[in-house]
Amino acid sequence: MQLISAGPSPFVRKVRVLLHETGQSEDVEVVEVAATPVATPPELAAANPVGKIPALIRPDGPALYDSRVITRYLDARADAGMYPQARLWETLTLEATADAIMEAGVLMVYEHRVRPEEKVFDGWVDAQWEKITRSVAAINARWMSHLAGPMDMSHIAVGCALGYLDFRHGARGWRKGNDALDDWYAVFAERESMKATAPE
């Protein structure tokens, strides 16, 4: 299988961490492409007509895309239990919250990287950061008992979201007022799967 990737995408990292945690890394080749919202390379368009990464090319079926679809597939493939039935809705909701943090963080980057300087809308950037701060605060206030439990896909998603905030938006300081989540992330970031997939 091939995983279509582009740069330090937190959505790709989420898939790669799952691959490490479930012993499937050797089964998947990571293929780097240069992609932005305004420039989709043909190999990515062939796998995902929307032009977003990641996409997983399989030898025995159509390509899969959207990180949550890919992680569900890989979890089922390995029978790894990263979407435990007993707390499935909590896991999916927390994963969705982490994905929303990633999306807002990526949009902040693209606002400066893709738009001409005279068209950058600082109010848009600030609104994305407000989504992030609300979401991080909600995790810190409501979800620490879940994060303290057995690892599932939501742990990986939250870890990758916070790692991306450090990587791209570290100066904004997501940790302020979120001590419990900061403590949790300090431990989670030391997992081998997280260190092996850390963005450069």
Side-chain angles (χ1 to χ4, degrees), residues 32-136:
E32 287 284 338
V33 298
T36 73
V38 295
T40 302
E43 59 267 51
L44 176 56
N48 179 2
V50 177
K52 290 185 175 183
I53 55 166
L56 183 69
I57 299 174
R58 304 178 295 164
D60 57 349
L64 302 178
Y65 45 87
D66 188 283
S67 63
R68 276 178 276 185
V69 174
I70 295 170
T71 55
R72 289 293 293 265
Y73 169 77
L74 292 171
D75 175 62
R77 181 178 185 265
D79 194 20
M82 288 293 183
Y83 290 94
Q85 195 62 40
R87 56 184 191 279
L88 179 62
W89 303 116
E90 291 79 6
T91 299
L92 290 173
T93 300
L94 186 51
E95 182 184 10
T97 305
D99 280 4
I101 292 170
M102 295 181 206
E103 182 178 6
V106 169
L107 288 174
M108 290 171 68
V109 171
Y110 281 146
E111 184 69 13
H112 288 278
R113 183 173 294 172
V114 177
R115 284 188 186 276
E117 186 176 348
E118 68 276 9
K119 293 185 177 180
V120 169
F121 181 20
D122 290 331
W124 167 263
V125 174
D126 292 343
Q128 301 312 309
W129 186 251
E130 286 178 13
K131 294 176 186 178
I132 290 169
T133 57
R134 287 196 306 266
S135 298
V136 169

Side-chain angles (χ1 to χ4, degrees), residues 3 7 13 26 35 66 79 89 116 119 121 129 149 152 160-161 172 176 181 185:
L3 181 68
R13 187 184 188 194
E26 297 300 316
D66 188 283
D79 194 20
W89 303 116
K119 293 185 177 180
F121 181 20
W129 186 251
D152 58 35
C160 291
R172 288 182 176 261
K176 185 176 180 180
L181 186 56
Y185 179 66

Side-chain angles (χ1 to χ4, degrees), residues 19-38:
L19 288 170
H20 277 269
E21 292 286 351
T22 59
Q24 299 182 83
S25 293
E26 297 300 316
D27 298 339
V28 179
E29 175 192 4
V30 178
V31 178
E32 287 284 338
V33 298
T36 73
V38 295

